[in-house]
């Protein structure tokens, strides 16, 4: 997975919570996003497409296959 700080999210987009295995994780820049995480992102409406693009571009660096893309709310 990638850390939140390495995602390249728009300047004013903020990951405010991650739900992982029914637990809420308070995200920090060094938090690693894992397969099947559910991300709650606060962003301007005009940044929505850029946020989705950043997250949909995540791939498994070991085999080049796309993991289950984290969901965004």
């Amino acid at each position: 997975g990638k850390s939140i700080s390495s995602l390249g999210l728009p300047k004013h987009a903020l990951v405010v919570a991650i739900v992982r295995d029914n637990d809420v994780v308070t995200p920090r820049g060094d938090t690693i996003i894992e397969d099947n995480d559910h991300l709650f992102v606060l962003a301007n409406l005009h940044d929505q497409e850029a946020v989705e693009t950043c997250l949909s571009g995540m791939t498994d660096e070991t085999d080049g296959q796309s993991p289950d893309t984290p969901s965004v709310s």
Side-chain angles (χ1 to χ4, degrees):
K2 291 185 175 183
S3 67
I4 290 174
S5 62
S6 70
L7 290 176
L9 292 170
K11 181 178 179 179
H12 297 289
L14 178 65
V15 179
V16 295
I18 299 172
V19 177
R20 177 179 296 153
D21 299 323
N22 294 321
D23 293 321
V24 176
V25 176
T26 302
R28 300 182 338 181
D30 61 352
T31 302
I32 302 297
I33 298 173
E34 299 178 6
D35 291 351
N36 300 312
D37 279 356
H38 297 272
L39 279 60
F40 289 81
V41 180
L42 182 62
N44 292 322
L45 185 59
H46 67 270
D47 287 333
Q48 179 179 354
E49 186 175 331
V51 169
E52 290 173 354
T53 299
C54 288
L55 296 176
S56 68
M58 294 179 61
T59 59
D60 184 337
E61 296 170 4
T62 58
D63 63 12
Q65 299 296 313
S66 293
D68 293 332
T69 303
S71 67
V72 179
S73 296

